[in-house]
Amino acid sequence: MRAVDIVSNLYQAYAERDIEGALAHCAEDVVFRWIADPRQSRHAGTAHGKQEFLSRLLALDDDFEYRHFVPVEIVDGGDKVAAQVEIHMTRRATGEEFIMRTADFWTVRDGEIVEMVEYYDTALAASVF
């Protein structure tokens, strides 16, 4: 399976809220880097390994309702994949609705995701986290 298909499948499973299934093609030692100031979000930083990545995603799911998850554009760069994603969210604690846009960069080796780096609107995150 091509890297772009692996990433597309991950997004599809994640959009359907199958969080564990979304990570089916992640390496056990996958690295997830959420680029942000940790003072703005407790979720910022690096997760090492599939279980830590899953824990981070489940924690986000506890904090936010994902109403709509849309990969707006996915760029196929062979074993490197880039995506622009739009996420319609509601903060569970306040009921505040907002749209978060992210830029995701994936690295796939031997059919497994080995790294994901995500950038997002830190000013928006600071206002809702």
Side-chain angles (χ1 to χ4, degrees):
M1 185 180 317
R2 297 178 317 141
V4 70
D5 297 324
I6 291 169
V7 171
S8 295
N9 289 343
L10 180 144
Y11 283 136
Q12 181 63 40
Y14 196 73
E16 294 169 358
R17 307 316 303 147
D18 178 9
I19 298 170
E20 290 187 36
L23 301 184
H25 288 285
C26 286
E28 286 302 320
D29 61 348
V30 64
V31 176
F32 169 55
R33 301 180 200 285
W34 200 15
I35 309 301
D37 185 333
R39 293 172 297 183
Q40 295 176 327
S41 170
R42 67 183 179 95
H43 304 291
T46 302
H48 297 276
K50 195 177 206 176
Q51 191 57 47
E52 198 173 321
F53 190 7
L54 175 61
S55 294
R56 184 87 45 106
L57 294 177
L58 291 173
L60 283 165
D61 210 51
D62 285 344
D63 289 346
F64 300 96
E65 173 190 352
Y66 288 72
R67 297 186 326 274
H68 198 53
F69 185 89
V70 183
V72 176
E73 182 177 13
I74 299 177
V75 179
D76 182 354
D79 65 346
K80 301 279 189 177
V81 177
Q84 183 181 173
V85 180
E86 185 175 280
I87 311 164
H88 298 243
M89 307 169 81
T90 302
R91 181 162 171 79
R92 293 186 192 280
T94 64
E96 180 180 1
E97 294 183 1
F98 60 98
I99 298 172
M100 177 69 71
R101 290 175 180 85
T102 67
D104 298 339
F105 300 91
W106 303 88
T107 302
V108 178
R109 256 187 232 114
D110 300 322
E112 290 187 316
I113 295 168
V114 295
E115 183 179 43
M116 187 263 210
V117 179
E118 181 170 275
Y119 295 87
Y120 61 96
D121 183 341
T122 55
L124 175 60
S127 74
V128 296
F129 283 89

